[in-house]
Amino acid sequence: MDDSTRAAIFADFDISQNESQMDFTDDLTKSKFRKSQFNLSVSLTPGELSAIFDTPTIQPKLNSENGLYNQFLDVLQAFRISSPLQLLEILQYFIDNCIDTISILKDQNQNADWLEQELNTWRLLLTLFQVQHLESEKVDNIVSDRDLADALFKEDQKLKGIQRIVDWLEHCAAENMENEFMKDAKHFSDEEVAWPNTLGQLLKKELIYQSSGAMVTKLDPDAPNRQSRSIHDLDQVDDDRLLTQVFNEIRCGRLEKAELLCCQYGQFWRSAIMEGWRLYHDPFYKPKEEQNPSDEILGNPNRDVWKACAWKISSDHKNSPYWRATIGILCGNIDAVLPVCNRWEDILWAHLHTIVNVAVESHIQTHKSSSFISLPEKYWEYKMTMDDIIAELKSNPKLAVRQEAHKPRRQIQQYFMTNQFRELVNIMADWAENSLESDPQFLRFLAHLILVIRWAGIQHDELAANLIIQKYIEVLIPMNDSLLVAYYTSQLEQTSQIIIYSKFLEKSVLTEQRTQGLLAAEKFSLPVEEITKRIVETYRNRFTNMTSGQDLFSEITSDDYELISALDWIIYYPHQVEEAFVQINAVVRNFVAQGKIQAARLAFNKVQKDSINRLMNNADIDIEKLLEFDMVSVSKKIQSLVLEYLAYKCYLDAEEGFAEWFHEYHQTKPIEPIKLHGNADYAKKLIHDHNMEQYQIALSNWKKNVASSSQIVVEQLFNLLFFPNGWLVDHENEDKNRHEHFELLRTICIPKIFMLLHTILHSAEKYTECIKLASYITDKTNKFYQLFSQADLKKLLAKIAESSVCLMESNEQVLDPWGF
């Protein structure tokens, strides 16, 4: 970054051009800054204060605060963090979003306090990060107290950070005062002179109300103390209210307004007293070439004398507590300020203001050879650090202050001020898990704090940070916004990304929803292949667990349909074809084991022809001739997957072929006409003979069809029994579970295939072929006998024995029981 760019962005940090905590000027009162310029120096001048935090143009209103979810996402999507300046701009957009939403909530008469607290926290972070990215500067040509203060703030970034927190506290106070009743002058007095009722009584005017006590006889400012008398009771009430408001204006960083109030009601001496703290600056000591015609002498050349006198005023208990606090904060007498500070932010402001006051005074007196009026030792004894102040707030005698210091949003602010980021992230993780604090908007706030901490390069506990983001994602999932879930899931480590996003996508049923979910995942670089794989495996595991130990039925259940539908995830990406075969084969395997042939066929049909072609790297392959295809060019894993796929095809074809044959054999056989009685008339006999003729024709056709279908089904069944290298025999199978599943299926399906073959052959009266089945079982090459249980084998041999009896009883030819 070149010097000109840096100067333009951080122009608001130039103490010589704007008013520091120690020197209020109005040279920027007419300036206007866009929010995106990051100017957070809110205690500078009233004009600059209103300029920096000017209310933005209201965007179209949202229905509620729920719009914050998408607004924050829109900001994050617009940036790819590559420089500190981008982080600052993100924070500013967060601030803008909060401001707009607060306006909407107030228009709708909804509570916006929670969001105002969040807004103030984002402003604090922006303030602190701005200071962190400033570089220390060496200042030359120091000729005055103001130059010394400017140099100190440019060289000491820690002190500059404290001053920025003071600015932030003052801006927060200014916003809180916007609707307070003391903005109107009539609340202090009806006259524009000091103590009008006292003046009237001294002039012996007729007053409605006479003072109750001994009243002063003179009207000079020192008369009440000098004469130990009081002003008129009504004037005292107005004076107390005025001084309270004067202090409040100082608390808001509006010194000029405080002075104006005093002048407006005739108390010019108070305005003059408050002016005495300004740092002295005489530009005419600079070389002529550096002087500007508009330069003027500013500040108090006898500021040390003023400070000593101000200390005495603020220490005098005869004065109003708020007047003592007003002078005390300007001269660094914190003991005079704390009695009127009843809130967390007020006490923090008083301490930090004093730190800056003492640091600047010490720097000036150290670097100037002039002699100074001695200040009370108590002034120099103030040595509190930020950690000390935060500890004091947490243990403050005032219950309200202690409670405020322990509220989550205040703790966040305190941890940022003290740079205790690891502790902050850990306690935020505890809040996220605590149902009392884990409301959706608060979790959104915590999640974005984590992202800001990460992008700022701050060391922290990653496990705790990921926990917070995961809790926020749990809030987003019910909204069914894939972009929201995908983006924040992408901020986790990959294992969590797969688990969380697959869980989110599981609930997507419609094709459009699934497409949107995957597109969102791609947009934010989520591991989509692993995610889709996990979805299918999750359904598979759920399905297995649900059926384990239960009676299995062949009907397709709603759970089966869900599992089959889940397979669409794994076939969405063409390049994931290998994994698709793995998952689809596994699902078909489970359905076949449970006897759910229709469900197995639905799952099997998820594989399309082009999937086979992609897997085999061959565009012209014929599925029907795949067994004859030379698979030497493909890997052993792919060979194994293809052979398993073909094995299921062979089995499903055989099962469905048998079902069709069974229906045709038992349901479509023509019904023979009822025989007539011997005494039936001639007409009925003619009709009967015609029906019998039609029956014989239909029966002949039926036998031909059954014989044809029987031949086809028998061929399918034998193809399965003598599948190349054995049906579901995979010598390259290194997956132990898969190998066990294969063995289980073989023990279930092979005995069943033999029973189906016997049923068809016996029905076709091919008894010799039925008897041959026994030789196939006992053949030591295929070792089918190893797949039979004793009960299954006994049952099949009994059926074969029946065929043997039928063979011997056949009249066509004389054969022995073995068909010879």
Side-chain angles (χ1 to χ4, degrees), residues 172-192:
C172 293
E175 283 197 334
N176 291 336
M177 280 185 59
E178 285 300 318
N179 298 317
E180 290 192 8
F181 70 95
M182 285 191 175
K183 294 176 67 176
D184 199 323
K186 66 182 181 181
H187 293 292
F188 309 121
S189 175
D190 295 328
E191 304 288 343
E192 294 186 2

PDB file of all heavy atoms in Angstrom, residues 172-192:
ATOM      1  N   CYS A 172     -21.615   6.265  22.594  1.00  0.00           N
ATOM      2  CA  CYS A 172     -22.724   5.456  23.115  1.00  0.00           C
ATOM      3  C   CYS A 172     -23.600   6.296  24.043  1.00  0.00           C
ATOM      4  O   CYS A 172     -24.832   6.225  23.999  1.00  0.00           O
ATOM      5  CB  CYS A 172     -22.184   4.234  23.856  1.00  0.00           C
ATOM      6  SG  CYS A 172     -21.348   3.027  22.795  1.00  0.00           S
ATOM      7  N   ALA A 173     -22.956   7.089  24.906  1.00  0.00           N
ATOM      8  CA  ALA A 173     -23.718   7.947  25.816  1.00  0.00           C
ATOM      9  C   ALA A 173     -24.525   8.983  25.050  1.00  0.00           C
ATOM     10  O   ALA A 173     -25.666   9.295  25.409  1.00  0.00           O
ATOM     11  CB  ALA A 173     -22.761   8.624  26.798  1.00  0.00           C
ATOM     12  N   ALA A 174     -23.934   9.539  23.987  1.00  0.00           N
ATOM     13  CA  ALA A 174     -24.643  10.545  23.193  1.00  0.00           C
ATOM     14  C   ALA A 174     -25.894   9.956  22.557  1.00  0.00           C
ATOM     15  O   ALA A 174     -26.946  10.606  22.510  1.00  0.00           O
ATOM     16  CB  ALA A 174     -23.706  11.102  22.125  1.00  0.00           C
ATOM     17  N   GLU A 175     -25.806   8.741  22.068  1.00  0.00           N
ATOM     18  CA  GLU A 175     -26.983   8.108  21.477  1.00  0.00           C
ATOM     19  C   GLU A 175     -28.059   7.850  22.514  1.00  0.00           C
ATOM     20  O   GLU A 175     -29.250   8.008  22.250  1.00  0.00           O
ATOM     21  CB  GLU A 175     -26.589   6.790  20.803  1.00  0.00           C
ATOM     22  CG  GLU A 175     -25.919   6.967  19.463  1.00  0.00           C
ATOM     23  CD  GLU A 175     -25.921   5.690  18.655  1.00  0.00           C
ATOM     24  OE1 GLU A 175     -25.975   4.604  19.269  1.00  0.00           O
ATOM     25  OE2 GLU A 175     -25.870   5.770  17.422  1.00  0.00           O
ATOM     26  N   ASN A 176     -27.645   7.448  23.726  1.00  0.00           N
ATOM     27  CA  ASN A 176     -28.621   7.164  24.777  1.00  0.00           C
ATOM     28  C   ASN A 176     -29.352   8.421  25.235  1.00  0.00           C
ATOM     29  O   ASN A 176     -30.464   8.338  25.752  1.00  0.00           O
ATOM     30  CB  ASN A 176     -27.932   6.517  25.980  1.00  0.00           C
ATOM     31  CG  ASN A 176     -27.456   5.112  25.676  1.00  0.00           C
ATOM     32  OD1 ASN A 176     -27.985   4.455  24.790  1.00  0.00           O
ATOM     33  ND2 ASN A 176     -26.457   4.643  26.400  1.00  0.00           N
ATOM     34  N   MET A 177     -28.727   9.577  25.073  1.00  0.00           N
ATOM     35  CA  MET A 177     -29.329  10.825  25.533  1.00  0.00           C
ATOM     36  C   MET A 177     -30.273  11.451  24.523  1.00  0.00           C
ATOM     37  O   MET A 177     -30.903  12.472  24.804  1.00  0.00           O
ATOM     38  CB  MET A 177     -28.231  11.844  25.868  1.00  0.00           C
ATOM     39  CG  MET A 177     -27.590  11.623  27.226  1.00  0.00           C
ATOM     40  SD  MET A 177     -26.430  12.944  27.589  1.00  0.00           S
ATOM     41  CE  MET A 177     -27.508  14.380  27.523  1.00  0.00           C
ATOM     42  N   GLU A 178     -30.382  10.871  23.352  1.00  0.00           N
ATOM     43  CA  GLU A 178     -31.132  11.521  22.287  1.00  0.00           C
ATOM     44  C   GLU A 178     -32.553  11.874  22.690  1.00  0.00           C
ATOM     45  O   GLU A 178     -33.098  12.885  22.286  1.00  0.00           O
ATOM     46  CB  GLU A 178     -31.172  10.608  21.053  1.00  0.00           C
ATOM     47  CG  GLU A 178     -29.869  10.568  20.292  1.00  0.00           C
ATOM     48  CD  GLU A 178     -29.465  11.940  19.782  1.00  0.00           C
ATOM     49  OE1 GLU A 178     -30.341  12.670  19.294  1.00  0.00           O
ATOM     50  OE2 GLU A 178     -28.277  12.288  19.890  1.00  0.00           O
ATOM     51  N   ASN A 179     -33.178  11.018  23.504  1.00  0.00           N
ATOM     52  CA  ASN A 179     -34.589  11.233  23.836  1.00  0.00           C
ATOM     53  C   ASN A 179     -34.797  11.719  25.260  1.00  0.00           C
ATOM     54  O   ASN A 179     -35.914  11.667  25.781  1.00  0.00           O
ATOM     55  CB  ASN A 179     -35.377   9.930  23.622  1.00  0.00           C
ATOM     56  CG  ASN A 179     -35.346   9.473  22.185  1.00  0.00           C
ATOM     57  OD1 ASN A 179     -35.492  10.273  21.280  1.00  0.00           O
ATOM     58  ND2 ASN A 179     -35.138   8.179  21.976  1.00  0.00           N
ATOM     59  N   GLU A 180     -33.731  12.157  25.916  1.00  0.00           N
ATOM     60  CA  GLU A 180     -33.885  12.600  27.302  1.00  0.00           C
ATOM     61  C   GLU A 180     -34.544  13.968  27.375  1.00  0.00           C
ATOM     62  O   GLU A 180     -34.447  14.789  26.470  1.00  0.00           O
ATOM     63  CB  GLU A 180     -32.529  12.609  28.009  1.00  0.00           C
ATOM     64  CG  GLU A 180     -31.996  11.197  28.250  1.00  0.00           C
ATOM     65  CD  GLU A 180     -30.824  11.178  29.201  1.00  0.00           C
ATOM     66  OE1 GLU A 180     -30.535  12.244  29.784  1.00  0.00           O
ATOM     67  OE2 GLU A 180     -30.211  10.126  29.365  1.00  0.00           O
ATOM     68  N   PHE A 181     -35.175  14.216  28.509  1.00  0.00           N
ATOM     69  CA  PHE A 181     -36.016  15.413  28.638  1.00  0.00           C
ATOM     70  C   PHE A 181     -35.229  16.700  28.779  1.00  0.00           C
ATOM     71  O   PHE A 181     -35.771  17.780  28.584  1.00  0.00           O
ATOM     72  CB  PHE A 181     -36.931  15.253  29.858  1.00  0.00           C
ATOM     73  CG  PHE A 181     -36.214  15.314  31.176  1.00  0.00           C
ATOM     74  CD1 PHE A 181     -36.127  16.510  31.868  1.00  0.00           C
ATOM     75  CD2 PHE A 181     -35.635  14.180  31.735  1.00  0.00           C
ATOM     76  CE1 PHE A 181     -35.479  16.570  33.094  1.00  0.00           C
ATOM     77  CE2 PHE A 181     -34.989  14.244  32.951  1.00  0.00           C
ATOM     78  CZ  PHE A 181     -34.910  15.435  33.630  1.00  0.00           C
ATOM     79  N   MET A 182     -33.952  16.678  29.091  1.00  0.00           N
ATOM     80  CA  MET A 182     -33.224  17.892  29.416  1.00  0.00           C
ATOM     81  C   MET A 182     -32.697  18.624  28.189  1.00  0.00           C
ATOM     82  O   MET A 182     -31.843  19.487  28.306  1.00  0.00           O
ATOM     83  CB  MET A 182     -32.063  17.575  30.355  1.00  0.00           C
ATOM     84  CG  MET A 182     -32.505  17.302  31.783  1.00  0.00           C
ATOM     85  SD  MET A 182     -31.130  17.248  32.920  1.00  0.00           S
ATOM     86  CE  MET A 182     -31.987  17.062  34.474  1.00  0.00           C
ATOM     87  N   LYS A 183     -33.205  18.308  27.017  1.00  0.00           N
ATOM     88  CA  LYS A 183     -32.711  18.997  25.821  1.00  0.00           C
ATOM     89  C   LYS A 183     -33.292  20.407  25.710  1.00  0.00           C
ATOM     90  O   LYS A 183     -32.748  21.262  25.037  1.00  0.00           O
ATOM     91  CB  LYS A 183     -33.076  18.188  24.575  1.00  0.00           C
ATOM     92  CG  LYS A 183     -32.374  16.850  24.504  1.00  0.00           C
ATOM     93  CD  LYS A 183     -32.819  16.036  23.322  1.00  0.00           C
ATOM     94  CE  LYS A 183     -32.383  16.669  22.030  1.00  0.00           C
ATOM     95  NZ  LYS A 183     -32.723  15.866  20.850  1.00  0.00           N
ATOM     96  N   ASP A 184     -34.411  20.658  26.372  1.00  0.00           N
ATOM     97  CA  ASP A 184     -35.073  21.967  26.252  1.00  0.00           C
ATOM     98  C   ASP A 184     -34.588  22.914  27.334  1.00  0.00           C
ATOM     99  O   ASP A 184     -34.476  22.542  28.500  1.00  0.00           O
ATOM    100  CB  ASP A 184     -36.592  21.777  26.370  1.00  0.00           C
ATOM    101  CG  ASP A 184     -37.333  22.966  25.800  1.00  0.00           C
ATOM    102  OD1 ASP A 184     -36.848  24.087  25.978  1.00  0.00           O
ATOM    103  OD2 ASP A 184     -38.397  22.747  25.180  1.00  0.00           O
ATOM    104  N   ALA A 185     -34.349  24.157  26.963  1.00  0.00           N
ATOM    105  CA  ALA A 185     -33.788  25.130  27.894  1.00  0.00           C
ATOM    106  C   ALA A 185     -34.710  25.414  29.061  1.00  0.00           C
ATOM    107  O   ALA A 185     -34.239  25.733  30.156  1.00  0.00           O
ATOM    108  CB  ALA A 185     -33.482  26.443  27.167  1.00  0.00           C
ATOM    109  N   LYS A 186     -35.991  25.341  28.883  1.00  0.00           N
ATOM    110  CA  LYS A 186     -36.913  25.720  29.952  1.00  0.00           C
ATOM    111  C   LYS A 186     -36.774  24.825  31.175  1.00  0.00           C
ATOM    112  O   LYS A 186     -37.308  25.151  32.230  1.00  0.00           O
ATOM    113  CB  LYS A 186     -38.353  25.669  29.444  1.00  0.00           C
ATOM    114  CG  LYS A 186     -38.843  24.270  29.080  1.00  0.00           C
ATOM    115  CD  LYS A 186     -40.253  24.321  28.546  1.00  0.00           C
ATOM    116  CE  LYS A 186     -40.759  22.920  28.191  1.00  0.00           C
ATOM    117  NZ  LYS A 186     -42.125  22.962  27.648  1.00  0.00           N
ATOM    118  N   HIS A 187     -36.065  23.704  31.036  1.00  0.00           N
ATOM    119  CA  HIS A 187     -35.873  22.830  32.189  1.00  0.00           C
ATOM    120  C   HIS A 187     -34.834  23.387  33.147  1.00  0.00           C
ATOM    121  O   HIS A 187     -34.694  22.890  34.254  1.00  0.00           O
ATOM    122  CB  HIS A 187     -35.458  21.420  31.727  1.00  0.00           C
ATOM    123  CG  HIS A 187     -36.539  20.701  30.989  1.00  0.00           C
ATOM    124  ND1 HIS A 187     -37.701  20.262  31.588  1.00  0.00           N
ATOM    125  CD2 HIS A 187     -36.647  20.365  29.679  1.00  0.00           C
ATOM    126  CE1 HIS A 187     -38.470  19.664  30.702  1.00  0.00           C
ATOM    127  NE2 HIS A 187     -37.854  19.712  29.517  1.00  0.00           N
ATOM    128  N   PHE A 188     -34.058  24.393  32.721  1.00  0.00           N
ATOM    129  CA  PHE A 188     -33.037  24.959  33.593  1.00  0.00           C
ATOM    130  C   PHE A 188     -33.436  26.329  34.135  1.00  0.00           C
ATOM    131  O   PHE A 188     -33.127  26.660  35.264  1.00  0.00           O
ATOM    132  CB  PHE A 188     -31.708  25.095  32.841  1.00  0.00           C
ATOM    133  CG  PHE A 188     -31.298  23.823  32.155  1.00  0.00           C
ATOM    134  CD1 PHE A 188     -31.106  23.792  30.782  1.00  0.00           C
ATOM    135  CD2 PHE A 188     -31.145  22.657  32.866  1.00  0.00           C
ATOM    136  CE1 PHE A 188     -30.734  22.626  30.154  1.00  0.00           C
ATOM    137  CE2 PHE A 188     -30.773  21.485  32.239  1.00  0.00           C
ATOM    138  CZ  PHE A 188     -30.573  21.460  30.879  1.00  0.00           C
ATOM    139  N   SER A 189     -34.101  27.104  33.328  1.00  0.00           N
ATOM    140  CA  SER A 189     -34.451  28.455  33.766  1.00  0.00           C
ATOM    141  C   SER A 189     -35.389  29.088  32.759  1.00  0.00           C
ATOM    142  O   SER A 189     -35.418  28.693  31.597  1.00  0.00           O
ATOM    143  CB  SER A 189     -33.188  29.309  33.906  1.00  0.00           C
ATOM    144  OG  SER A 189     -33.502  30.649  34.211  1.00  0.00           O
ATOM    145  N   ASP A 190     -36.144  30.092  33.239  1.00  0.00           N
ATOM    146  CA  ASP A 190     -36.986  30.857  32.328  1.00  0.00           C
ATOM    147  C   ASP A 190     -36.305  32.127  31.839  1.00  0.00           C
ATOM    148  O   ASP A 190     -36.854  32.868  31.032  1.00  0.00           O
ATOM    149  CB  ASP A 190     -38.300  31.226  33.037  1.00  0.00           C
ATOM    150  CG  ASP A 190     -39.120  29.983  33.358  1.00  0.00           C
ATOM    151  OD1 ASP A 190     -39.040  29.022  32.573  1.00  0.00           O
ATOM    152  OD2 ASP A 190     -39.817  29.976  34.389  1.00  0.00           O
ATOM    153  N   GLU A 191     -35.132  32.390  32.362  1.00  0.00           N
ATOM    154  CA  GLU A 191     -34.404  33.610  32.016  1.00  0.00           C
ATOM    155  C   GLU A 191     -33.042  33.259  31.452  1.00  0.00           C
ATOM    156  O   GLU A 191     -32.528  32.169  31.678  1.00  0.00           O
ATOM    157  CB  GLU A 191     -34.215  34.498  33.263  1.00  0.00           C
ATOM    158  CG  GLU A 191     -35.499  34.859  33.976  1.00  0.00           C
ATOM    159  CD  GLU A 191     -36.328  35.852  33.207  1.00  0.00           C
ATOM    160  OE1 GLU A 191     -35.774  36.496  32.286  1.00  0.00           O
ATOM    161  OE2 GLU A 191     -37.526  35.989  33.504  1.00  0.00           O
ATOM    162  N   GLU A 192     -32.448  34.205  30.732  1.00  0.00           N
ATOM    163  CA  GLU A 192     -31.115  33.982  30.183  1.00  0.00           C
ATOM    164  C   GLU A 192     -30.070  34.737  30.990  1.00  0.00           C
ATOM    165  O   GLU A 192     -29.084  35.215  30.450  1.00  0.00           O
ATOM    166  CB  GLU A 192     -31.090  34.408  28.715  1.00  0.00           C
ATOM    167  CG  GLU A 192     -31.962  33.539  27.840  1.00  0.00           C
ATOM    168  CD  GLU A 192     -31.832  33.862  26.369  1.00  0.00           C
ATOM    169  OE1 GLU A 192     -31.019  34.758  26.039  1.00  0.00           O
ATOM    170  OE2 GLU A 192     -32.520  33.236  25.550  1.00  0.00           O
TER     171      GLU A 192
END
